[in-house]
Amino acid sequence: MSHRDVIKGFKLFTVLLLCLGLDEVVIVVQSQRNSYHARRATQRKEEILQQAAGLGQPPPVVLLLHELSEYEGVWSILPALPHLSLTNGPSAMWFFFIEEETRVTVAALGQVLQRYQAHEEWFLGRRLCDVEASIIHHYAFSEDPSSFGYPDPAAGWALSAPLLRRLADRMLHEHLKSDFTIDLSHEIALYILEEGNGPKLTAVREFCIESEENCASTFTSYLPDCGEPVSRRDLFVAVKTWHKFHSDRVSVVKATWEKEAEFLEYYSDVADDSIPTISLGIPNTERGHCGKTFAILRRFLSDAVPKTDWLLIVDDDTLISLPRLRRLLRCYDPKEEVSLGERYGYGLVQNGYSYITGGGGMVLSRAAVSRLLSSGCSCYSDDAPDDMVLGRCLTSLGVSITHSPLFHQARPDDYTNQLSSLQQAVSFHKHWNIDPVSVYKHWLQDTQLRDEL
């Protein structure tokens, strides 16, 4: 290509950008309140604004999701739509939603959006689909799971302004069919589809994960490099079990990830010296394990166990990579009140609460455990759902629930293999219909990593 052709192409591209002013694009960074995540989101915002300044264009509007409202439930996006429509809807033509670690090439984004008529309803993204019906998606579209597409949040996804305004109006007048928020991008796509009355996701090749030609977005990693992993001695691991699972589930923990833990205790309904397990005086319950979990929290703060910065609570059928977890924890300040894992929501549209789902592993800083227990918050019954009770308590105390997609409540086969979070997963859950040792070795064991002390 000659120099003249390059100049000509640049002039044409500038004309396209002028047709769609960057200031008509609202970029929403799906940020979190935790200080580490807030810093990363601010850095992303600054990068985007610097790019726009270099183009000599009025910049796009860049919003940090956690700053839109004091209500933490806006992370589920749907409760945020009325606010976005009211404050930015009249002037915006497009809304582009990205993760904190999604990099945006502003000029390329403008070029991509220019291809679509902004006065029409458009839902754009990198298309994901289920190969098989999945429990985390409530077995939706079980006859043909691949027929339904939902956006990869790591690549970013876009709504035209007319679509966002209509969705915002629906939010003000309709109740959601489910009280639970589990898989955000899948549930948003379902809401937009509106049982066939709304638009399907349109796949956009320039919304990328890995860097390719003409990408408008790329993704770095859900497992950032914040320095050396925290020491093994800074993490205490609590495994919840009961006597009927000692032989099959506990044996898997011992065959896989137990050796990576410096401090680990098994808590059961009976004391078994052969493992060993510790009885906390809480009888086993068929449903939730709130009584047992709160007993673990009290023991964590007692002199009965080594004093560590972090507590990890897992089920006996949780598979986890402790080296990856310790690498992830380096990004967080243990002096802050941190609750970390896979975040679910309950009743978020009606001012509900978020919680870390237990099967994927619940990580709490010592400061968070201290705040929780000193508040007097407790179980309404021993068999209450421990993860939900913890979430409700922490939310009432103003402690943010911090999400990492690297924690998984289900098995690897329950997720589409296109997800970025699978490649450096911290955890999976359930032994049903799998060989858990093989799953651990394939998905979670890092033979190349040195286990720092």
Side-chain angles (χ1 to χ4, degrees):
M1 181 180 293
S2 68
H3 180 70
R4 181 176 298 176
D5 290 335
V6 171
I7 297 298
K8 183 178 179 181
F10 179 78
K11 289 181 177 178
L12 176 60
F13 182 60
T14 301
V15 170
L16 288 173
L17 283 179
L18 290 173
C19 293
L20 173 66
L22 290 179
D23 56 342
E24 297 173 313
V25 178
V26 176
I27 299 176
V28 182
V29 184
Q30 294 174 231
S31 56
Q32 303 190 66
R33 297 187 190 280
N34 174 270
S35 63
Y36 165 73
H37 290 280
R39 286 194 304 272
R40 292 298 295 150
T42 299
Q43 290 169 0
R44 187 67 63 228
K45 177 177 180 178
E46 291 172 351
E47 290 174 6
I48 293 170
L49 296 179
Q50 288 173 3
Q51 283 189 56
L55 293 170
Q57 284 267 314
V61 177
V62 184
L63 303 176
L64 304 188
L65 189 61
H66 78 277
E67 294 180 348
L68 292 186
S69 170
E70 291 297 319
Y71 175 50
E72 190 176 276
V74 294
W75 67 263
S76 61
I77 303 298
L78 293 179
L81 295 182
H83 176 84
L84 291 172
S85 177
L86 179 65
T87 57
N88 300 98
S91 57
M93 295 180 67
W94 290 97
F95 294 80
F96 187 51
F97 297 82
I98 63 171
E99 300 271 77
E100 294 164 6
E101 299 299 330
T102 305
R103 295 187 178 275
V104 179
T105 302
V106 175
L109 176 63
Q111 189 175 30
V112 168
L113 297 179
Q114 182 68 32
R115 294 204 304 260
Y116 303 92
Q117 297 296 320
H119 64 275
E120 299 176 357
E121 293 192 354
W122 288 102
F123 177 30
L124 311 176
R126 177 177 182 261
R127 188 180 189 272
L128 301 177
C129 65
D130 294 338
V131 177
E132 299 178 356
S134 171
I135 187 172
I136 63 170
H137 296 151
H138 306 291
Y139 299 106
F141 304 93
S142 56
E143 294 184 0
D144 184 11
S146 63
S147 65
F148 178 69
Y150 53 98
D152 187 339
W157 50 281
L159 300 177
S160 62
L163 176 57
L164 184 136
R165 286 194 291 267
R166 186 170 67 80
L167 296 175
D169 186 64
R170 280 181 61 198
M171 287 299 304
L172 295 175
H173 298 95
E174 294 182 11
H175 292 293
L176 296 181
K177 293 182 178 180
S178 174
D179 289 328
F180 288 91
T181 301
I182 296 176
D183 187 334
L184 178 62
S185 62
H186 190 275
E187 291 163 21
I188 285 174
L190 271 178
Y191 189 76
I192 292 172
L193 184 62
E194 198 180 354
E195 298 182 346
N197 296 314
K200 292 184 176 180
L201 178 72
T202 297
V204 176
R205 63 182 182 276
E206 293 90 351
F207 293 172
C208 309
I209 297 298
E210 298 179 354
S211 182
E212 302 173 16
E213 187 177 3
N214 300 323
C215 282
S217 61
T218 55
F219 184 70
T220 51
S221 173
Y222 285 122
L223 186 58
D225 184 2
C226 295
E228 291 292 304
V230 302
S231 168
R232 289 164 54 117
R233 301 182 66 84
D234 287 334
L235 176 65
F236 186 86
V237 183
V239 182
K240 297 181 298 180
T241 187
W242 77 303
H243 70 274
K244 286 191 176 182
F245 294 148
H246 288 183
S247 60
D248 52 355
R249 293 187 181 181
V250 171
S251 63
V252 171
V253 177
K254 288 184 171 294
T256 54
W257 58 268
E258 182 198 69
K259 60 183 176 295
E260 302 289 356
E262 184 77 12
F263 304 122
L264 180 147
E265 289 184 343
Y266 295 94
Y267 300 107
S268 185
D269 56 324
V270 298
D272 182 345
D273 292 338
S274 68
I275 292 176
T277 63
I278 296 171
S279 173
L280 297 169
I282 307 294
N284 188 67
T285 51
E286 292 292 329
R287 298 182 297 171
H289 305 286
C290 192
K292 181 182 289 185
T293 295
F294 269 77
I296 291 171
L297 297 178
R298 291 190 291 269
R299 183 173 174 84
F300 176 70
L301 293 185
S302 75
D303 295 332
V305 300
K307 185 175 182 178
T308 63
D309 288 335
W310 299 100
L311 170 65
L312 167 66
I313 303 176
V314 294
D315 294 342
D316 51 12
D317 58 347
T318 301
L319 299 169
I320 194 159
S321 169
L322 293 182
R324 292 182 193 171
L325 174 58
R326 293 190 294 105
R327 178 180 163 188
L328 179 64
L329 288 178
R330 176 57 66 191
C331 299
Y332 299 94
D333 183 352
K335 295 183 177 61
E336 292 183 11
E337 296 158 354
V338 179
S339 173
L340 173 68
E342 183 178 21
R343 178 180 54 193
Y344 282 7
Y346 179 75
L348 294 182
V349 176
Q350 293 82 32
N351 291 316
Y353 59 90
S354 306
Y355 61 98
I356 298 301
T357 180
M362 299 183 289
V363 181
L364 295 163
S365 65
R366 177 168 290 272
V369 177
S370 298
R371 176 80 183 282
L372 183 68
L373 293 183
S374 65
S375 73
C377 204
S378 61
C379 306
Y380 54 84
S381 65
D382 281 346
D383 67 348
D386 52 348
D387 49 4
M388 296 183 73
V389 171
L390 286 175
R392 188 182 62 185
C393 288
L394 292 170
T395 298
S396 68
L397 295 171
V399 176
S400 63
I401 307 298
T402 302
H403 175 65
S404 170
L406 300 177
F407 296 78
H408 299 88
Q409 172 70 14
R411 307 161 303 164
D413 289 347
D414 294 316
Y415 303 88
T416 175
N417 58 16
Q418 298 170 285
L419 275 180
S420 301
S421 65
L422 297 185
Q423 303 311 312
Q424 293 179 304
V426 165
S427 70
F428 292 106
H429 182 226
K430 298 290 188 188
H431 292 177
W432 178 73
N433 207 27
I434 62 169
D435 177 354
V437 175
S438 296
V439 167
Y440 173 79
K441 290 181 177 179
H442 178 75
W443 290 100
L444 298 169
Q445 189 172 42
D446 289 320
T447 56
Q448 75 277 15
L449 288 182
R450 177 174 62 90
D451 197 16
E452 296 88 348
L453 295 176

